[in-house]
Amino acid sequence: MNRRPTPLAAIALAAVAALSLSACGSGEDSSKDNDKIAGADTEADSSTSASPSASASASDAADRPDITLPKDMKSVFEGWKTGDAAKDAALADAERALGSVDDAIARGDTKSDALAFYYQEDALVSEVKWVQAWLDANISWTGTIRYFDPQVTLRDKKTAVVVYCADDSKAYNKNRKTGKVDKAPASDSPYVLYNTRLERNGEGVWVTTGLLTKRGHERCGG
């Protein structure tokens, strides 16, 4: 994951470097971005609505954990609906997964029920390390992160690849104890490409089992 604590960028790279996602193309790489990203060649959804779907009622019978974020921690999801029910279900759970990480960061809880609900396998290990990194640095974040250009590839009824971009140029580190916000300009690109593998479990939940990210990828404007 790459929310914007600049000092933790190296930790983020280490967290994703160990992942091996044959379904999601190549991983974190400092070389030129000429590698193909799974789903990146598919046509993007033209919808420009910014209405988060995570608050919508679930279309399955899963007992989903509550996710409540602080008012100063906002995420905007642009074009997060395709009109295809199966793809939209995967996108909705990808959105909830992001919310579960922010919830864990805000509360300082690496053992969050929501985190373990929406992430499993290597992705859960990575996210737990990522949340812990924020706690070790004594920071949370404030502001707005924009997620855009989502693309979904359904490999079968229970496996999907979801690729999307994030812009965290308006998200800032906040000291957990003092509440002081650091708005010093970041030295690297605010654009991040997310490449995730989701698997649909028996409850109908699209759980993230693999995650790769690349900051500054040209697909996202980096």
Side-chain angles (χ1 to χ4, degrees), residues 13-93:
L13 296 181
V16 299
L19 298 181
S20 176
L21 302 180
S22 59
C24 291
S26 62
E28 195 75 35
D29 187 0
S30 60
S31 61
K32 291 184 179 180
D33 300 330
N34 55 6
D35 53 307
K36 285 195 173 183
I37 302 297
D41 293 332
T42 58
E43 183 177 356
D45 172 49
S46 60
S47 172
T48 58
S49 63
S51 177
S53 57
S55 60
S57 60
S59 59
D60 51 59
D63 184 15
R64 297 175 181 275
D66 292 332
I67 297 175
T68 304
L69 301 179
K71 293 182 179 180
D72 67 338
M73 184 182 282
K74 300 179 181 179
S75 296
V76 175
F77 295 84
E78 297 180 357
W80 222 247
K81 287 185 179 296
T82 68
D84 179 285
K87 291 183 177 182
D88 286 347
L91 281 172
D93 278 336

Side-chain angles (χ1 to χ4, degrees), residues 73-191:
M73 184 182 282
K74 300 179 181 179
S75 296
V76 175
F77 295 84
E78 297 180 357
W80 222 247
K81 287 185 179 296
T82 68
D84 179 285
K87 291 183 177 182
D88 286 347
L91 281 172
D93 278 336
E95 180 179 333
R96 294 182 181 102
L98 289 166
S100 74
V101 177
D102 291 335
D103 175 64
I105 290 172
R107 292 189 294 106
D109 183 10
T110 59
K111 298 182 179 180
S112 158
D113 289 340
L115 199 64
F117 187 88
Y118 289 109
Y119 291 93
Q120 293 180 5
E121 301 177 14
D122 287 339
L124 178 58
V125 174
S126 176
E127 293 308 306
V128 169
K129 289 180 179 179
W130 180 232
V131 174
Q132 185 62 53
W134 286 80
L135 304 186
D136 291 345
N138 192 36
I139 56 174
S140 180
W141 68 271
T142 185
T144 301
I145 298 178
R146 181 173 66 97
Y147 297 97
F148 62 99
D149 196 16
Q151 298 179 13
V152 186
T153 301
L154 297 177
R155 297 190 174 275
D156 53 47
K157 292 183 179 180
K158 292 187 176 181
T159 309
V161 173
V162 178
V163 179
Y164 55 92
C165 295
D167 171 9
D168 57 25
S169 59
K170 294 184 179 179
Y172 309 98
N173 294 347
K174 182 174 71 172
N175 186 285
R176 302 185 73 87
K177 291 183 178 180
T178 66
K180 183 178 179 180
V181 177
D182 179 7
K183 291 191 175 184
S187 60
D188 52 5
S189 171
Y191 298 105

